[in-house]
Amino acid sequence: MGFLSEALERVAPSATVAISQKARTMAQEGRDIIALSAGEPDFDTPLNVREAAVRAMNEGKTRYTNVDGIPELKAAVAAKFKRDNGLDVTAADCFVASGGKQIIFNALMATLNPGDEVVVPVPYWVSYPEIVRLCGATPVFAVADDTTGFKLRPDVLEAAITPKTKWLILNTPSNPTGAAYSADELHGLADVLLRHPHVHILTDDIYEVLVYDGGTFATIAQVEPRLQPRTLTMNGVSKSHAMTGWRIGYCTGPRVLLAAMTKLQSQSTTNPSSIAQWAAVEALNGPQEFLADWRAVFQGRRDLVVKGLNANTGLDCLTPEGAFYVFPSCKRLLGKTSAGGAVLTTDEDFVMALLEETGVALVHGTAFGLPGHFRLSYAASNAELGEAVKRIQGFCAGIR
Ligand code: PLP
């Protein structure tokens, strides 16, 4: 009998670990590393939110809370879904967990059995297929590559659905591509889903506030209210309020699902941190005007990076609608050799050689299910981004 569980055996080790580890080791050795591999805003949590946490601590709000969140936060979540997404929900339709990831984990763990299928558009956020596999279910990959702006087409969705499909996972704006679906595009997917009433939809809207060029964020339960009874709309304060370390995610969905998730959470983490929950109340109810400034900063960085990567490098970079990632193709440079002598057969060879020869850390596309690409996170200062782009351009120019 092996010591480790079979469930764990089904999960692949993080494909991003190797590059992060290499970058850290190189930095420790004194190399000048620019890490554009992380997925978190580089801004501080807003002061009013931090002050709310201090108040909560000083007022003794430091005890266990309801498993599914304090009433005040569930009310704030319901108000947010109403205000921003037009979803007609109350606090009883909402649930809070220790980060958006725990919402996804709870929802899938509470519903999946071996043999069930989950449609996962490719490229995907790395955790989706691994959580599905941990649950003993099967991820079914539906290609959404650069030929469709990294968006799932209705006919591709239709072809991926079988009688075993339990969930479709949507993520807009997307990690790793930054692609954000318009309401029209979501309508196209909704039409397919209406024909398959056994399919539930998990929409990961964690990058909602980061949509550029004056674009309007749309989420599927808002676009097609007939899907709301089988949609779990997930969100969180990690990216919206630069609160990745506070660990608060939230959602709204069918009450039977929320009850199941509450049962599961009651036997795992109990409640999210009481202090972080009070901070999240302030994040959701407090002023949101700062977001316009953040958006402007991120949009400027996106433009700098897209322009630099497309400047005669051999890379092909689409302009994403949102989040803080670009996902360029390096296919035209594969099969060649870097100035440092590395043979660039795969996207992983490309990012490893780039790191070794220039100190810029990116993540290869294969980690997200789509070879021939890499992900660059532009949640970094303009100075760092400008320097990174210069080094990437130099690296590409040296490829023969
Ligand atoms: N969903 C996506 C698409 C993400 O990129 C991330 C974090 O990188 C998460 C969920 C996790 O969010 P949280 O930190 O709130 O668990």
Side-chain angles (χ1 to χ4, degrees):
M1 184 175 53
F3 177 54
L4 301 178
S5 72
E6 286 167 18
L8 192 71
E9 288 288 308
R10 291 193 291 269
V11 175
S14 168
T16 58
V17 165
I19 192 120
S20 304
Q21 186 121 1
K22 188 171 164 106
R24 263 195 307 274
T25 309
M26 288 170 69
Q28 278 158 7
E29 290 165 0
R31 290 279 304 273
D32 174 18
I33 301 298
I34 306 177
L36 303 181
S37 43
E40 58 184 345
D42 54 327
F43 299 120
D44 283 333
T45 304
L47 182 60
N48 61 313
V49 175
R50 285 180 272 146
E51 284 174 347
V54 171
R55 260 196 320 277
M57 279 191 279
N58 290 338
E59 289 170 4
K61 292 169 173 162
T62 51
R63 314 260 184 219
Y64 290 129
T65 73
N66 288 351
V67 168
D68 60 347
I70 55 175
E72 291 83 351
L73 181 51
K74 286 173 52 177
V77 167
K80 177 260 174 284
F81 280 130
K82 224 179 231 174
R83 175 184 74 221
D84 299 343
N85 310 115
L87 300 180
D88 187 18
V89 297
T90 68
D93 304 303
C94 298
F95 173 95
V96 180
S98 302
K101 190 187 267 185
Q102 197 188 14
I103 301 274
I104 301 168
F105 188 89
N106 284 342
L108 297 180
M109 194 57 109
T111 54
L112 290 177
N113 290 310
D116 289 343
E117 295 177 354
V118 178
V119 176
V120 180
V122 174
Y124 45 72
W125 181 48
V126 289
S127 294
Y128 302 143
E130 300 310 332
I131 297 174
V132 170
R133 289 191 185 106
L134 191 61
C135 297
T138 307
V140 172
F141 297 116
V143 174
D145 63 16
D146 42 4
T147 60
T148 57
F150 298 116
K151 292 176 192 173
L152 182 61
R153 275 204 336 246
D155 58 319
V156 177
L157 171 61
E158 180 79 58
I161 293 174
T162 77
K164 294 180 183 169
T165 308
K166 198 159 238 176
W167 288 98
L168 160 69
I169 300 182
L170 286 176
N171 172 213
T172 178
S174 150
N175 177 4
T177 68
Y181 289 87
S182 68
D184 267 358
E185 288 162 342
L186 289 177
H187 264 300
L189 298 177
D191 287 344
V192 174
L193 293 162
L194 286 171
R195 290 198 292 276
H196 298 281
H198 66 293
V199 179
H200 289 70
I201 304 105
L202 195 172
T203 179
D204 177 344
D205 297 352
I206 201 134
Y207 294 98
E208 167 177 6
V209 301
L210 298 177
V211 175
Y212 310 121
D213 304 316
T216 308
F217 172 79
T219 192
I220 196 152
Q222 171 190 30
V223 164
E224 179 44 88
R226 283 178 291 173
L227 290 177
Q228 192 174 339
R230 51 185 166 114
T231 299
L232 186 70
T233 305
M234 177 231 126
N235 212 315
V237 292
S238 295
K239 319 286 176 171
S240 63
H241 293 75
M243 292 175 70
T244 45
W246 298 72
R247 311 308 303 132
I248 297 290
Y250 56 82
C251 64
T252 184
R255 288 189 189 179
V256 60
L257 174 61
L258 301 190
M261 292 165 66
T262 304
K263 182 173 162 188
L264 186 62
Q265 188 158 289
S266 77
Q267 297 295 12
S268 53
T269 54
T270 312
N271 58 273
S273 152
S274 60
I275 299 155
Q277 287 191 68
W278 283 104
V281 170
E282 174 63 18
L284 294 180
N285 288 344
Q288 309 293 318
E289 286 72 27
F290 69 95
L291 287 172
D293 295 337
W294 284 14
R295 259 193 297 274
V297 170
F298 276 128
Q299 185 174 321
R301 293 171 176 178
R302 177 201 64 174
D303 293 343
L304 180 160
V305 166
V306 170
K307 189 163 172 238
L309 294 183
N310 281 326
N312 209 12
T313 52
L315 301 168
D316 297 292
C317 184
L318 296 183
T319 302
E321 294 94 348
F324 39 64
Y325 308 103
V326 292
F327 198 69
S329 165
C330 55
K331 284 183 199 154
R332 286 194 284 141
L333 298 175
L334 297 184
K336 301 186 177 180
T337 304
S338 73
V343 180
L344 308 176
T345 308
T346 66
D347 51 352
E348 187 164 9
D349 296 335
F350 182 91
V351 296
M352 283 297 185
L354 180 78
L355 176 57
E356 190 57 56
E357 294 175 33
T358 73
V360 176
L362 307 173
V363 184
H364 52 298
T366 303
F368 309 96
L370 195 67
H373 294 257
F374 60 81
R375 186 192 76 174
L376 180 153
S377 162
Y378 54 84
S381 70
N382 276 9
E384 279 180 302
L385 292 171
E387 174 61 22
V389 164
K390 226 167 44 191
R391 292 188 197 179
I392 294 170
Q393 287 172 341
F395 177 77
C396 291
I399 292 175
R400 291 289 172 263

